[in-house]
Amino acid sequence: MAATLSGGASSEVPFTYSIERSDGRKFTYSYGASNLTTTYESASTSKLVTSVILLRLVDQGFLALTDKPQKHIPLWPLDSGDVIYNMTLAHLLSFRSGMTDELLCLHSAGANFETCTKNMASSNSGSTYTPGSVFYYSGVHMQVAGLMAQYATGSSWQDIFAQFKNDTGLFSSAAYDLPSSTNPRLAGGMHWQASEYLDFLRALKNGTLLSPSSMSELLKDQTAASQIIYSPPKQDLNEDWHYGLGLWHEYQSSRVSSPGAYGAYPFWDRSKNYFGIVARQGAVGTYPKGIQIERSVRAKAEAWAACPF
């Protein structure tokens, strides 16, 4: 039986909705067998987490947003004759590298992370898109960025994530384990709990995770001068969202977000000064339902967030 909410929103699966305002007060509602500590698959909600982890490596001096893959990755398969040869970490995190093709190995538990990533780069060698000129929503960009990070630090992604956990105290039970821990899909392969994601959003909002310069780049509209080639919000919502580094700038809105394909929807409304999440796991492609759940109560949430008592 589906939950029917105001505004025509509904959910065929259990979910938890939780928001927190500037004074730390929280409102949480759960439907069915879901709560703040239920573990969910991340789908694309991991993109923001991955981006922040990589930007912390920038702050620590391991990487720079101007770095090209070949600076760190030995035997990089693209050569200077490829149009996309000059892609940078900034292009990768904003999905403007010029790459569009994914390979099935991205979703294979037994695939080798480095081999798969290099093969995907090779499969994009015929791209005619100059880095920075177009936006294309795809998982390939973050795999390349992750491989850069592994070589820059001399650590596996699992060790990089473990260090992030240790340094921040965040995502204590979360994992990058899809399709496997040895071939993690950085743009969509975590498990997390809603409480953990809320803690992450709070730290991000409070400015404790990134330097001011990295925070500025994270939140900057990176696609203002780029052609949008493929965008799920345009395709499914008919809304012209833009993109920062691992997060969406929503259409005619002050909020940034990182919705996932199964309907989870973490967001931060920067002008209304509150953040929250819809945690759910429906079928692939049901991400608009998470957004609809949040929008069905948004007016009430905004009024509560602005209330002085």
Side-chain angles (χ1 to χ4, degrees):
M1 185 175 180
T4 301
L5 307 169
S6 61
S10 66
S11 181
E12 75 288 3
V13 295
F15 70 88
T16 292
Y17 164 86
S18 187
I19 55 174
E20 185 174 316
R21 65 187 209 175
S22 58
D23 62 2
R25 294 173 67 183
K26 184 184 297 180
F27 172 83
T28 300
Y29 168 82
S30 291
Y31 162 71
S34 178
N35 57 51
L36 288 172
T37 59
T38 301
T39 298
Y40 286 107
E41 291 186 25
S42 71
S44 289
T45 64
S46 69
K47 287 181 170 64
L48 177 55
V49 183
T50 297
S51 185
V52 168
I53 292 171
L54 291 168
L55 285 171
R56 285 175 62 87
L57 295 180
V58 171
D59 288 339
Q60 294 161 9
F62 290 104
L63 294 166
L65 286 173
T66 55
D67 284 353
K68 300 171 184 177
Q70 56 269 23
K71 176 178 180 178
H72 301 283
I73 303 172
L75 302 178
W76 183 239
L78 301 178
D79 60 39
S80 58
D82 284 297
V83 171
I84 59 175
Y85 179 77
N86 288 317
M87 72 175 83
T88 66
L89 181 61
H91 292 139
L92 291 163
L93 294 183
S94 58
F95 301 169
R96 298 179 303 134
S97 70
M99 295 188 293
T100 59
D101 290 348
E102 291 184 2
L103 298 180
L104 290 177
C105 62
L106 181 65
H107 312 288
S108 172
N112 178 275
F113 184 95
E114 179 170 353
T115 300
C116 177
T117 300
K118 288 181 173 178
N119 286 343
M120 285 194 292
S122 294
S123 74
N124 281 278
S125 64
S127 174
T128 59
Y129 297 129
T130 302
S133 66
V134 300
F135 170 85
Y136 193 97
Y137 193 76
S138 166
V140 62
H141 313 277
M142 284 190 164
Q143 295 302 98
V144 174
L147 187 57
M148 290 172 66
Q150 290 184 156
Y151 272 105
T153 61
S155 303
S156 70
W157 184 260
Q158 299 303 337
D159 288 340
I160 291 171
F161 187 43
Q163 188 64 54
F164 172 80
K165 289 183 177 185
N166 183 69
D167 291 345
T168 65
L170 298 171
F171 288 115
S172 59
S173 74
Y176 279 86
D177 56 358
L178 297 170
S180 66
S181 60
T182 55
N183 186 35
R185 191 169 51 243
L186 304 188
M190 289 181 73
H191 278 94
W192 49 249
Q193 298 174 2
S195 61
E196 295 176 318
Y197 213 112
L198 287 168
D199 290 343
F200 168 70
L201 290 173
R202 183 185 310 110
L204 184 65
K205 174 181 177 292
N206 290 342
T208 63
L209 295 181
L210 299 174
S211 69
S213 60
S214 287
M215 190 71 163
S216 177
E217 289 298 322
L218 176 85
L219 296 173
K220 177 183 175 182
D221 179 359
Q222 302 284 340
T223 59
S226 302
Q227 181 183 1
I228 307 297
I229 299 296
Y230 172 60
S231 162
K234 180 62 177 177
Q235 175 178 284
D236 300 323
L237 303 175
N238 196 30
E239 295 181 1
D240 294 315
W241 295 17
H242 283 208
Y243 212 72
L245 298 182
L247 51 69
W248 289 101
H249 289 257
E250 296 193 13
Y251 176 64
Q252 294 184 340
S253 172
S254 63
R255 66 176 49 204
V256 291
S257 63
S258 186
Y262 305 129
Y265 174 55
F267 64 90
W268 169 20
D269 194 307
R270 298 177 64 204
S271 70
K272 303 295 191 304
N273 202 26
Y274 76 105
F275 60 90
I277 191 168
V278 175
R280 73 186 292 275
Q281 188 173 330
V284 174
T286 60
Y287 83 89
K289 290 201 171 186
I291 297 171
Q292 290 162 3
I293 289 170
E294 188 280 328
R295 289 183 177 181
S296 72
V297 294
R298 182 177 298 182
K300 293 180 180 179
E302 290 178 350
W304 177 75
C307 183
F309 52 84

